[in-house]
Amino acid sequence: MYSLRTPSERASGVAPPIPAPAEPHIRHRYLYEVLLYRTGEDKTPRPVRSAVLDTSSGAIRVLRLDLRAGHVFAMTPQESHRAVQWADEGFISARALLALGESIGFTLRLHTGEIAEWTVRPATFLCLTSTNWRDPQPQLSDAEPDLRTSL
């Protein structure tokens, strides 16, 4: 039979300390993604940007900034007008949909023929944290000077 205890623990009969149980926490966040499709029939998009944001307002703010910054370089005049109009007015209904737990998105065709898609989706994450977790102290070797004491 195999034992997880070290030889000294087996000899002394002392069991190793039991780690504290992890506490689960549910976190509600918003997944923001920008995807680029080469054509309308393309099934595998190229991810351009991805982020997990704390609030729906923060996610919409990032989407609005991306639309305003990107329209100058890559969009046709028609699509540029749509993007600016959504950034000015359309985000209000998007905020309401996110509050209801729905995903939102904005898609347009770039002047190169590619299709850009912005999406914000509500996401729920399960985080496990230990009650007695401590970051390990860095181990300095003899060759490395301790810069903390020289300050």
Side-chain angles (χ1 to χ4, degrees):
M1 177 153 98
Y2 182 73
S3 174
L4 296 177
R5 293 193 260 174
T6 64
S8 63
E9 290 170 341
R10 282 191 297 249
S12 67
V14 177
I18 298 172
E23 294 182 17
H25 299 280
I26 302 290
R27 304 275 189 231
H28 299 285
R29 301 288 189 259
Y30 295 87
L31 179 62
Y32 173 72
E33 290 182 311
V34 181
L35 303 174
L36 195 61
Y37 295 87
R38 284 188 294 253
T39 64
E41 293 80 30
D42 192 8
K43 300 293 183 208
T44 56
R46 180 173 55 106
V48 176
R49 188 172 182 191
S50 180
V52 176
L53 300 157
D54 292 336
T55 64
S56 62
S57 297
I60 290 175
R61 184 178 312 115
V62 171
L63 195 155
R64 291 176 69 200
L65 288 172
D66 277 358
L67 287 178
R68 287 187 174 277
H71 82 278
V72 175
F73 302 107
M75 299 177 200
T76 63
Q78 278 180 288
E79 298 289 39
S80 176
H81 178 70
R82 279 187 55 225
V84 170
Q85 184 177 6
W86 190 92
D88 287 343
E89 301 166 1
F91 74 93
I92 297 169
S93 60
R95 184 173 290 154
L97 287 170
L98 284 174
L100 293 172
E102 297 290 327
S103 298
I104 62 159
F106 188 80
T107 304
L108 52 81
R109 185 175 297 275
L110 304 178
H111 74 304
T112 60
E114 296 174 310
I115 297 171
E117 178 182 72
W118 290 263
T119 59
V120 177
R121 289 188 294 254
T124 304
F125 296 95
L126 175 63
C127 300
L128 298 175
T129 55
S130 176
T131 56
N132 63 353
W133 170 257
R134 290 188 188 93
D135 285 329
Q137 294 296 320
Q139 300 294 322
L140 296 175
S141 69
D142 294 334
E144 298 176 16
D146 188 359
L147 299 176
R148 294 175 291 171
T149 58
S150 63
L151 294 177

